[in-house]
Amino acid sequence: MAEYDNSNIFAKILRGELPAQKVYEDEHTLGFLDIMPRAPGHTLIIPKRPARNLLDIEPESLAHVIKTAKKIAIAGKKAFNADGITMQQFNETAGGQVVFHLHVHIIPRHTGVQMKPAASVMEKPEVLAEHAKLLKEALA
Ligand code: AMP
């Protein structure tokens, strides 16, 4: 497996070199909106410690990510009045991974509504800002 490369997009977001609609941050993790959401409220949770994916992440760091994923799932269900939550996590190109800093997707779902295809439609910044606000309110 390739080494962790700190020039990936999410490492740049962590260093503040690229913008993101942040919804949650603590000592170990960051949660921000996916710019091409598969459904409203689609959030990515990443560890602050470098890890390429599930295959190299330290178990403790992964545990922090999962704890945050649960918080975001509960907030997403509340904020978007969702009927369910889809959690996704991809590993290596063959596993569907595109950005090589471990991330968990939390996607609010409504009965009978299909998700958009992955990375298909770039959401408007003002819509993302509104969705981030709703999630932050639900997390408060
Ligand atoms: P994957 O590695 O397959 O889990 O996919 C990476 C995800 O990151 C996709 O859902 C993209 O829409 C999302 N994405 C790519 N660039 C950004 C960015 N700058 N900010 C937020 N999400 C992003």
Side-chain angles (χ1 to χ4, degrees):
M1 189 170 87
E3 291 289 302
Y4 180 82
D5 176 356
N6 69 6
S7 66
N8 73 77
I9 295 168
F10 297 165
K12 289 181 180 172
I13 288 174
L14 274 174
R15 292 194 296 268
E17 295 166 10
L18 282 178
Q21 281 292 346
K22 296 180 184 178
V23 300
Y24 178 87
E25 183 162 14
D26 63 25
E27 188 187 345
H28 303 288
T29 62
L30 178 68
F32 55 95
L33 292 184
D34 195 300
I35 47 167
M36 291 177 269
R38 301 193 67 178
H42 182 167
T43 302
L44 302 174
I45 296 99
I46 63 174
K48 289 191 172 176
R49 277 202 191 172
R52 187 172 161 89
N53 56 40
L54 187 62
L55 302 169
D56 67 340
I57 191 168
E58 293 166 20
E60 211 176 275
S61 186
L62 179 63
H64 290 302
V65 171
I66 296 301
K67 277 186 193 171
T68 299
K70 180 174 167 75
K71 285 182 189 159
I72 301 292
I74 291 167
K77 188 167 184 299
K78 184 176 167 194
F80 295 90
N81 198 22
D83 301 309
I85 297 291
T86 295
M87 183 164 97
Q88 296 180 315
Q89 195 276 317
F90 305 113
N91 303 282
E92 296 299 324
T93 304
Q97 186 175 16
V98 176
V99 179
F100 296 97
H101 182 111
L102 179 132
H103 52 282
V104 167
H105 300 252
I106 293 290
I107 309 170
R109 302 294 306 279
H110 292 90
T111 304
V113 180
Q114 294 285 320
M115 288 192 293
K116 286 182 194 162
S120 57
V121 184
M122 188 82 79
E123 188 53 276
K124 296 184 195 79
E126 60 270 25
V127 173
L128 290 179
E130 177 59 24
H131 290 171
K133 184 170 167 274
L134 291 176
L135 275 165
K136 282 188 272 190
E137 282 168 4
L139 281 161

